[in-house]
Amino acid sequence: MNLLAVERIKLFSTRSPWWCAIITLALTIGFAAILAGASSADTPIALSATQFGGSQFGIAVVMVLAALAVTTEYRFNTIRTTFQAVPHRSPALIAKAVVVAVVALVIGEIGAFGALGLAMLMRPNDGLGLHSTQDWLNVAGLGPVFAISAVLAMALGVLIRHSAGAIALLLIYYLAVEELVQIIPKVGHHIHEWLPFNVANKFLRGSAVVDGPAPSDSPLSPGWALAYFAGIALVFLLVALGVAKKRDA
């Protein structure tokens, strides 16, 4: 518990987490407001469309927050003090992963339900609400996806150690690479089915074709999709812990 308290204090002692949280909420809730305001009154909007800002852009900002949580320590060499206090290193990094995951979870839930609530206020006649299991996954599921994405980003930050490099790699992969993989002849589609954020999208949106981006082509069910995504993050975290133990701080 002491390690968790220390990591929480360290995280919120800088401005970047606060700014990242504000930007994430602005994107998640703001996109819902823009969509609700810009759509014709005669055309009801889909519930999944209200979550577009969070599921497409909010995740990217949360990953930046998580990466900065660890790379900033490497940049200013405060990680050395952390590892001197916790020589085995893994407990400190695990505590940091737990803290960033919880913060990301809270941000995701606030953003998701805030976006839905605002859209319902602006479009009271569209029948927006949590009417099915998939509706609940689409909204309440954003928090867990944020949390797992944060752990994945933090693990990558431990491996790369440089803020610019970690953030650039995360954003390029998330915003471009998974989509570009599909243009590889013959095998691109099959590879894309198993890429992490495409699978996470299956958990959030299922297979229904609604307004917004195309649904995930992952063959997994929503439950297994979340487990698969979490497994990838866990593998990266374990690799990061092993590397952190072997190299100099």
Side-chain angles (χ1 to χ4, degrees):
M1 294 301 292
N2 288 336
L3 283 175
L4 292 175
V6 169
E7 293 301 331
R8 175 182 56 80
I9 293 169
K10 285 196 295 183
L11 179 65
F12 289 107
S13 63
T14 60
R15 294 179 181 178
S16 57
W18 296 101
W19 280 111
C20 287
I22 291 171
I23 293 171
T24 302
L25 293 175
L27 287 170
T28 305
I29 300 174
F31 266 95
I34 292 172
L35 179 66
S39 299
S40 170
D42 299 329
T43 306
I45 61 174
L47 180 140
S48 61
T50 67
Q51 304 301 309
F52 175 79
S55 61
Q56 296 298 311
F57 303 110
I59 292 176
V61 184
V62 163
M63 289 195 295
V64 170
L65 183 158
L68 288 175
V70 65
T71 56
T72 301
E73 286 210 61
Y74 280 105
R75 178 184 177 187
F76 293 105
N77 289 323
T78 55
I79 197 72
R80 294 180 182 271
T81 304
T82 299
F83 288 160
Q84 286 173 355
V86 188
H88 293 295
R89 300 189 179 185
S90 291
L93 294 176
I94 292 173
K96 187 182 292 293
V98 170
V99 169
V100 297
V102 171
V103 170
L105 175 68
V106 172
I107 293 172
E109 295 301 322
I110 293 174
F113 282 98
L116 175 60
L118 182 59
M120 292 174 68
L121 287 175
M122 296 179 67
R123 311 278 297 200
N125 298 322
D126 283 5
L128 292 171
L130 303 174
H131 306 302
S132 66
T133 300
Q134 190 57 57
D135 289 344
W136 276 99
L137 292 179
N138 200 176
V139 179
L142 191 62
V145 171
F146 272 25
I148 296 170
S149 300
V151 172
L152 182 61
M154 197 219 81
L156 190 63
V158 173
L159 293 172
I160 297 179
R161 299 196 290 185
H162 298 286
S163 297
I167 292 172
L169 181 59
L170 285 166
L171 295 183
I172 290 172
Y173 178 83
Y174 176 70
L175 297 175
V177 171
E178 287 203 359
E179 293 301 318
L180 293 176
V181 163
Q182 298 182 83
I183 68 175
I184 299 175
K186 298 183 180 179
V187 299
H189 171 71
H190 299 292
I191 296 173
H192 182 258
E193 289 179 345
W194 298 98
L195 294 180
F197 292 103
N198 177 53
V199 174
N201 192 41
K202 180 61 173 286
F203 168 70
L204 287 175
R205 301 186 62 215
S207 302
V209 178
V210 294
D211 296 337
S216 169
D217 56 0
S218 170
L220 298 174
S221 66
W224 280 110
L226 183 66
Y228 177 86
F229 187 45
I232 290 177
L234 179 60
V235 168
F236 270 87
L237 180 60
L238 292 175
V239 171
L241 295 177
V243 171
K245 285 182 178 180
K246 293 182 178 181
R247 70 186 178 191
D248 294 335

